[in-house]
Amino acid sequence: MAKQICEICEKPMPGPPSEWPDFPFCSPRCRKIDLGRWLGEKYKIASKQNEDQSSDEDLEED
Ligand SMILES: [Zn+2]
């Protein structure tokens, strides 16, 4: 069986699966990093939509 690797730090999961409360992350720290990345992506998409809206307004002004 392939060893489970933490998606964030890419280290093998420590101990047996019963000791992985933060799976698929090896630790609360890696879980937090993943959440931060996810929220960062969401923010980037939201700000891009705002840019599109403001460019529409610019066209109307012309
Ligand atoms: Zn990790």
Side-chain angles (χ1 to χ4, degrees):
M1 234 176 98
K3 252 201 153 180
Q4 289 289 348
I5 304 289
C6 172
E7 291 183 8
I8 300 303
C9 65
E10 296 182 350
K11 285 178 187 167
M13 299 294 289
S18 58
E19 291 177 14
W20 300 346
D22 296 294
F23 186 80
F25 314 109
C26 69
S27 64
R29 190 174 158 270
C30 285
R31 178 190 285 276
K32 217 171 165 184
I33 290 168
D34 182 75
L35 184 68
R37 282 186 187 176
W38 191 84
L39 290 175
E41 278 299 305
K42 204 178 165 188
Y43 179 77
K44 237 166 41 181
I45 291 164
S47 62
K48 192 173 182 291
Q49 282 174 345
N50 286 341
E51 277 174 31
D52 289 349
Q53 280 173 6
S54 64
S55 64
D56 282 351
E57 283 169 21
D58 286 348
L59 285 173
E60 278 177 38
E61 277 173 31
D62 265 308

